[in-house]
Amino acid sequence: MTGVLSIVSNNSSAASRGQSILTCRNITARYGRIGVCHGVDLAVSAGEVVAVLGPNGAGKSSFLGSIAGLVQGDGEVIVGDRAIGQMPAFLRAKHGLAFVPEIRGNICPALSVQENLGLGLRMIDDDRDAALQRILELFPILKERLDAPAGMLSGGEQQMLAVGMAVARRPRVLILDEPTQGLAPAVYDILRATFAKFREDGLAIVVAEQNVPFAASVADRFIMLSDGQVVLSGGHDQLQKYDTILAAFLGSEESVSGTTRPSNVQ
């Protein structure tokens, strides 16, 4: 989709949907000598949403952090045709990867909404005023809060700000770590509509979630992590059977029909 609301790079559009925009191979993550994520593969196409599921401690945040260059790790990370896995986080961002950390961790509470958005816009080369307007049209409530300190916003408004900062530079890939955590259910519809807009614009999205019903409402397919490894994966139809997936969270032997369980997982 084109027009004032387009928030993705000109190099990524709905026309390229089906092409792999993000490719991750054999991703590991570690803290010092402690490995927490082991050999995870993932590919995401333009206009596709992939959910990364798993309980606390499964390795979801570490996996996403390793892709973004914020957690020490190894493996291939490719955006489009550019290998970025050896780059620091700020260069990965320049090459089209945007990351929204858990609990709105990319916002500065003492700065105003406009100042925070300015931080997100600082890396773009084209008209920053036009880019700001795109974000405000995406999240109209932020226009009413431009002069307010970010720390005074509600949780839902902070999440909108965090997402707005991430997409301000028109990335090709958007990674979100548990975007619904701590939010009121009333905010979920706003996030769903935002995801739908991003999909239309051809953004490749990876979202880690414990909120399986929300993930099922926005994602095309999923992978589930346990102890830092993929133990289950499936498509949209399987993701709708989230009661069974929730049972898998709890370690049930019940499987989700049509999903894939790696051969090394018993």
Coordinates of all heavy atoms in Angstrom, one line a residue, residues 164-223:
G164 N 5.9 3.1 17.3 CA 6.1 4.2 16.4 C 7.5 4.6 16.2 O 8.0 4.9 15.1
M165 N 8.3 4.5 17.3 CA 9.7 4.8 17.3 C 10.4 3.8 16.4 O 11.4 4.1 15.6 CB 10.3 4.8 18.7 CG 9.9 6.0 19.5 SD 10.5 5.8 21.3 CE 12.3 5.9 21.0
A166 N 10.0 2.5 16.5 CA 10.7 1.4 15.8 C 10.4 1.5 14.3 O 11.4 1.3 13.5 CB 10.2 0.1 16.3
V167 N 9.2 1.9 13.9 CA 8.9 1.9 12.5 C 9.1 3.3 11.8 O 9.0 3.5 10.6 CB 7.5 1.5 12.2 CG1 7.2 0.1 12.7 CG2 6.4 2.5 12.8
A168 N 9.6 4.3 12.6 CA 9.8 5.6 12.1 C 10.8 5.6 11.0 O 10.6 6.4 10.0 CB 10.3 6.6 13.3
R169 N 11.8 4.8 11.0 CA 12.8 4.8 10.0 C 12.5 3.9 8.8 O 13.3 3.6 8.0 CB 14.2 4.4 10.6 CG 14.2 3.0 11.2 CD 15.6 2.7 11.8 NE 15.8 3.6 13.0 CZ 15.7 3.1 14.2 NH1 15.4 1.8 14.4 NH2 15.9 3.9 15.2
R170 N 11.2 3.4 8.8 CA 10.7 2.6 7.7 C 11.5 1.3 7.5 O 12.2 1.1 6.5 CB 10.6 3.4 6.4 CG 9.6 4.5 6.5 CD 9.3 5.1 5.2 NE 10.5 5.6 4.5 CZ 10.5 6.1 3.3 NH1 9.4 6.0 2.5 NH2 11.6 6.5 2.7
P171 N 11.5 0.4 8.5 CA 12.3 -0.8 8.4 C 11.7 -1.8 7.4 O 10.6 -1.7 7.0 CB 12.3 -1.3 9.8 CG 10.9 -0.9 10.3 CD 10.7 0.5 9.7
R172 N 12.4 -2.9 7.2 CA 11.9 -4.0 6.4 C 11.5 -5.1 7.3 O 10.6 -5.9 6.9 CB 13.0 -4.5 5.4 CG 13.6 -3.5 4.5 CD 14.6 -4.0 3.5 NE 13.9 -4.8 2.5 CZ 14.5 -5.6 1.6 NH1 15.8 -5.6 1.6 NH2 13.8 -6.3 0.7
V173 N 12.0 -5.2 8.5 CA 11.7 -6.2 9.5 C 11.4 -5.6 10.8 O 12.1 -4.7 11.3 CB 12.9 -7.2 9.7 CG1 12.6 -8.2 10.7 CG2 13.3 -7.9 8.3
L174 N 10.3 -6.0 11.4 CA 9.9 -5.5 12.7 C 9.9 -6.7 13.7 O 9.2 -7.7 13.5 CB 8.6 -4.8 12.7 CG 8.0 -4.3 14.1 CD1 8.9 -3.2 14.6 CD2 6.6 -3.8 13.9
I175 N 10.6 -6.6 14.8 CA 10.7 -7.6 15.8 C 10.1 -7.1 17.1 O 10.6 -6.0 17.6 CB 12.1 -8.1 16.0 CG1 12.7 -8.8 14.7 CG2 12.2 -9.2 17.2 CD1 14.1 -9.2 14.8
L176 N 9.1 -7.7 17.7 CA 8.5 -7.3 18.9 C 8.6 -8.4 20.0 O 8.2 -9.5 19.7 CB 7.0 -6.9 18.7 CG 6.8 -5.9 17.6 CD1 6.3 -6.7 16.3 CD2 5.7 -4.9 18.0
D177 N 9.0 -8.0 21.2 CA 9.1 -8.9 22.3 C 8.0 -8.7 23.3 O 7.9 -7.7 24.0 CB 10.5 -8.7 23.0 CG 10.8 -9.8 24.0 OD1 10.0 -10.8 24.1 OD2 11.8 -9.7 24.7
E178 N 7.0 -9.6 23.2 CA 5.8 -9.6 24.1 C 5.1 -8.3 24.1 O 5.0 -7.6 25.2 CB 6.2 -10.1 25.5 CG 6.8 -11.5 25.5 CD 6.7 -12.3 26.8 OE1 5.7 -12.0 27.5 OE2 7.5 -13.2 27.0
P179 N 4.6 -7.8 23.0 CA 4.0 -6.5 23.0 C 2.7 -6.3 23.8 O 2.4 -5.2 24.1 CB 3.7 -6.3 21.5 CG 3.6 -7.7 20.9 CD 4.6 -8.5 21.7
T180 N 2.1 -7.4 24.1 CA 0.8 -7.3 24.9 C 1.1 -7.3 26.4 O 0.1 -7.2 27.2 CB -0.2 -8.3 24.6 OG1 0.3 -9.6 24.9 CG2 -0.5 -8.3 23.1
Q181 N 2.3 -7.6 26.8 CA 2.6 -7.8 28.3 C 2.2 -6.5 29.1 O 2.6 -5.4 28.8 CB 4.0 -8.1 28.5 CG 4.3 -8.4 30.0 CD 5.7 -9.0 30.2 OE1 6.5 -9.2 29.2 NE2 6.1 -9.2 31.4
G182 N 1.4 -6.7 30.1 CA 1.0 -5.6 31.0 C 0.0 -4.6 30.4 O -0.3 -3.6 31.0
L183 N -0.6 -5.0 29.2 CA -1.6 -4.1 28.6 C -3.0 -4.6 28.9 O -3.3 -5.8 29.1 CB -1.4 -4.0 27.1 CG 0.0 -3.5 26.6 CD1 -0.1 -3.4 25.1 CD2 0.3 -2.2 27.3
A184 N -3.9 -3.6 28.9 CA -5.4 -4.0 29.1 C -5.8 -4.6 27.8 O -5.4 -4.2 26.7 CB -6.2 -2.7 29.4
P185 N -6.8 -5.6 27.9 CA -7.3 -6.2 26.6 C -7.9 -5.2 25.6 O -7.9 -5.5 24.4 CB -8.4 -7.2 27.2 CG -7.9 -7.5 28.6 CD -7.3 -6.2 29.1
A186 N -8.3 -4.1 26.1 CA -8.9 -3.1 25.2 C -7.9 -2.6 24.2 O -8.2 -2.1 23.1 CB -9.5 -1.9 25.9
V187 N -6.6 -2.7 24.5 CA -5.5 -2.2 23.6 C -5.3 -3.2 22.5 O -4.7 -2.9 21.4 CB -4.2 -1.9 24.4 CG1 -3.1 -1.4 23.5 CG2 -4.5 -0.9 25.5
Y188 N -5.7 -4.5 22.7 CA -5.3 -5.5 21.7 C -5.9 -5.2 20.3 O -5.2 -5.5 19.3 CB -5.9 -6.9 22.2 CG -5.3 -7.4 23.5 CD1 -5.8 -8.6 24.0 CD2 -4.3 -6.8 24.2 CE1 -5.3 -9.1 25.2 CE2 -3.8 -7.3 25.3 CZ -4.3 -8.4 25.9 OH -3.8 -8.9 27.0
D189 N -7.1 -4.7 20.3 CA -7.7 -4.4 19.0 C -6.8 -3.3 18.2 O -6.7 -3.4 17.0 CB -9.1 -3.9 19.1 CG -10.1 -5.0 19.5 OD1 -9.7 -6.2 19.3 OD2 -11.2 -4.7 19.9
I190 N -6.3 -2.4 18.9 CA -5.4 -1.4 18.3 C -4.2 -2.0 17.7 O -3.8 -1.8 16.6 CB -5.1 -0.3 19.3 CG1 -6.3 0.5 19.7 CG2 -4.0 0.7 18.7 CD1 -6.1 1.5 20.8
L191 N -3.6 -2.9 18.5 CA -2.4 -3.6 18.0 C -2.7 -4.5 16.8 O -2.0 -4.6 15.9 CB -1.8 -4.5 19.2 CG -1.2 -3.7 20.3 CD1 -0.6 -4.6 21.4 CD2 -0.1 -2.7 19.8
R192 N -3.9 -5.2 16.9 CA -4.3 -6.0 15.7 C -4.4 -5.2 14.5 O -4.0 -5.6 13.4 CB -5.6 -6.8 16.0 CG -5.5 -7.9 17.1 CD -6.8 -8.6 17.2 NE -6.8 -9.6 18.3 CZ -7.3 -9.3 19.5 NH1 -7.9 -8.2 19.7 NH2 -7.2 -10.2 20.5
A193 N -5.1 -4.0 14.6 CA -5.2 -3.2 13.4 C -3.9 -2.7 12.9 O -3.6 -2.6 11.7 CB -6.1 -2.0 13.8
T194 N -2.9 -2.4 13.8 CA -1.6 -2.0 13.5 C -0.9 -3.1 12.7 O -0.2 -2.8 11.7 CB -0.8 -1.6 14.7 OG1 -1.5 -0.6 15.4 CG2 0.6 -1.1 14.3
F195 N -1.0 -4.3 13.2 CA -0.3 -5.5 12.5 C -0.9 -5.6 11.1 O -0.2 -5.9 10.2 CB -0.6 -6.7 13.3 CG 0.5 -7.0 14.4 CD1 0.6 -6.1 15.5 CD2 1.3 -8.1 14.3 CE1 1.5 -6.4 16.5 CE2 2.2 -8.3 15.3 CZ 2.4 -7.5 16.4
A196 N -2.2 -5.4 11.0 CA -2.9 -5.6 9.7 C -2.3 -4.5 8.7 O -2.1 -4.8 7.5 CB -4.4 -5.5 9.8
K197 N -2.2 -3.3 9.2 CA -1.6 -2.2 8.4 C -0.2 -2.6 7.9 O 0.2 -2.4 6.7 CB -1.7 -0.9 9.1 CG -0.9 0.2 8.5 CD -1.4 0.6 7.2 CE -0.4 1.6 6.5 NZ -0.7 1.7 5.1
F198 N 0.6 -3.1 8.9 CA 2.0 -3.4 8.6 C 2.1 -4.5 7.5 O 2.9 -4.5 6.6 CB 2.8 -3.8 9.8 CG 3.0 -2.7 10.8 CD1 3.4 -2.9 12.1 CD2 2.8 -1.3 10.4 CE1 3.6 -1.9 13.0 CE2 3.0 -0.3 11.3 CZ 3.4 -0.6 12.6
R199 N 1.2 -5.5 7.7 CA 1.1 -6.6 6.7 C 0.8 -6.1 5.3 O 1.5 -6.5 4.3 CB 0.1 -7.6 7.1 CG 0.4 -8.4 8.3 CD -0.7 -9.3 8.7 NE -1.1 -10.2 7.7 CZ -1.3 -11.5 7.9 NH1 -1.2 -12.0 9.1 NH2 -1.5 -12.3 6.9
E200 N -0.1 -5.2 5.2 CA -0.5 -4.6 3.9 C 0.7 -3.9 3.3 O 0.9 -3.9 2.1 CB -1.6 -3.6 4.0 CG -3.0 -4.3 4.4 CD -4.1 -3.3 4.6 OE1 -3.8 -2.1 4.3 OE2 -5.2 -3.7 5.0
D201 N 1.5 -3.2 4.1 CA 2.7 -2.5 3.6 C 3.9 -3.4 3.3 O 4.9 -2.9 2.9 CB 3.1 -1.5 4.7 CG 2.2 -0.2 4.6 OD1 1.5 -0.1 3.6 OD2 2.2 0.6 5.6
G202 N 3.7 -4.7 3.6 CA 4.8 -5.7 3.3 C 5.9 -5.8 4.3 O 7.0 -6.3 4.0
L203 N 5.6 -5.4 5.5 CA 6.6 -5.5 6.6 C 6.7 -7.0 7.0 O 5.7 -7.6 7.2 CB 6.2 -4.6 7.8 CG 7.2 -4.3 8.9 CD1 8.5 -3.7 8.3 CD2 6.6 -3.4 9.9
A204 N 7.9 -7.5 7.2 CA 8.1 -8.8 7.8 C 8.1 -8.7 9.3 O 8.9 -7.9 9.8 CB 9.4 -9.4 7.3
I205 N 7.3 -9.5 10.0 CA 7.1 -9.3 11.5 C 7.4 -10.6 12.2 O 6.9 -11.6 11.8 CB 5.7 -8.8 11.8 CG1 5.4 -7.5 11.0 CG2 5.5 -8.6 13.3 CD1 4.0 -7.0 11.2
V206 N 8.2 -10.4 13.3 CA 8.4 -11.5 14.2 C 7.9 -11.0 15.6 O 8.4 -10.0 16.1 CB 9.9 -12.0 14.3 CG1 10.1 -13.1 15.3 CG2 10.4 -12.3 12.9
V207 N 7.0 -11.8 16.2 CA 6.5 -11.3 17.5 C 6.6 -12.5 18.5 O 6.1 -13.6 18.3 CB 5.0 -10.8 17.4 CG1 4.1 -11.8 16.7 CG2 4.5 -10.4 18.7
A208 N 7.3 -12.2 19.6 CA 7.3 -13.2 20.7 C 6.2 -12.9 21.6 O 5.9 -11.8 22.0 CB 8.6 -13.1 21.5
E209 N 5.4 -14.0 22.0 CA 4.3 -13.8 22.9 C 4.0 -15.0 23.8 O 4.3 -16.1 23.4 CB 3.0 -13.7 22.0 CG 2.6 -12.2 21.7 CD 2.2 -11.4 23.0 OE1 2.0 -12.0 24.0 OE2 2.1 -10.2 22.9
Q210 N 3.5 -14.7 25.0 CA 2.9 -15.7 25.8 C 1.4 -15.7 25.7 O 0.8 -16.7 26.1 CB 3.4 -15.5 27.3 CG 4.8 -15.8 27.6 CD 5.1 -15.9 29.0 OE1 4.7 -16.8 29.7 NE2 5.8 -14.9 29.6
N211 N 0.9 -14.6 25.2 CA -0.5 -14.5 25.0 C -0.9 -15.2 23.7 O -0.9 -14.6 22.6 CB -0.9 -13.0 24.9 CG -2.4 -12.7 24.8 OD1 -3.1 -13.6 24.4 ND2 -2.8 -11.5 25.2
V212 N -1.2 -16.5 23.8 CA -1.4 -17.3 22.6 C -2.7 -16.9 21.8 O -2.6 -16.8 20.6 CB -1.5 -18.8 23.0 CG1 -1.7 -19.7 21.7 CG2 -0.1 -19.2 23.6
P213 N -3.8 -16.6 22.5 CA -4.9 -16.1 21.7 C -4.6 -14.8 20.9 O -5.1 -14.7 19.7 CB -6.0 -15.8 22.8 CG -5.6 -16.8 23.9 CD -4.1 -16.8 23.9
F214 N -3.9 -13.9 21.4 CA -3.5 -12.7 20.7 C -2.6 -13.1 19.5 O -2.8 -12.7 18.4 CB -2.8 -11.7 21.5 CG -2.3 -10.5 20.7 CD1 -3.2 -9.5 20.4 CD2 -1.0 -10.4 20.3 CE1 -2.7 -8.4 19.7 CE2 -0.5 -9.4 19.5 CZ -1.4 -8.3 19.2
A215 N -1.6 -14.0 19.7 CA -0.7 -14.4 18.7 C -1.5 -15.1 17.6 O -1.3 -14.9 16.4 CB 0.3 -15.4 19.2
A216 N -2.5 -15.9 18.0 CA -3.4 -16.6 17.0 C -4.2 -15.6 16.1 O -4.5 -16.0 15.0 CB -4.3 -17.6 17.7
S217 N -4.5 -14.5 16.7 CA -5.3 -13.5 15.9 C -4.5 -12.7 14.9 O -5.1 -12.0 14.1 CB -6.0 -12.6 16.9 OG -5.1 -11.6 17.5
V218 N -3.1 -12.7 15.0 CA -2.3 -11.8 14.2 C -1.3 -12.6 13.3 O -0.9 -12.1 12.3 CB -1.6 -10.7 15.0 CG1 -2.5 -9.8 15.7 CG2 -0.6 -11.4 15.9
A219 N -1.0 -13.8 13.7 CA 0.2 -14.5 13.0 C -0.3 -15.5 12.0 O -1.4 -16.1 12.0 CB 1.0 -15.2 14.1
D220 N 0.6 -15.6 11.0 CA 0.4 -16.6 9.9 C 0.8 -18.0 10.3 O 0.3 -19.0 9.9 CB 1.1 -16.2 8.6 CG 0.6 -14.9 8.1 OD1 -0.5 -14.8 7.6 OD2 1.4 -13.9 8.2
R221 N 1.9 -18.1 11.1 CA 2.4 -19.3 11.6 C 3.2 -19.1 12.9 O 3.4 -17.9 13.3 CB 3.2 -20.0 10.5 CG 4.4 -19.2 10.0 CD 5.0 -19.9 8.7 NE 6.0 -19.0 8.2 CZ 7.3 -19.0 8.5 NH1 7.7 -19.8 9.5 NH2 8.2 -18.2 7.9
F222 N 3.7 -20.2 13.5 CA 4.4 -20.0 14.7 C 5.5 -21.1 14.8 O 5.5 -22.1 14.2 CB 3.4 -20.2 15.9 CG 3.0 -21.6 16.1 CD1 3.7 -22.4 17.1 CD2 2.0 -22.2 15.4 CE1 3.3 -23.8 17.3 CE2 1.6 -23.5 15.6 CZ 2.3 -24.3 16.6
I223 N 6.4 -20.7 15.7 CA 7.4 -21.7 16.3 C 7.3 -21.6 17.8 O 7.0 -20.6 18.3 CB 8.8 -21.5 15.8 CG1 9.4 -20.1 16.3 CG2 9.0 -21.6 14.3 CD1 10.9 -19.9 16.1

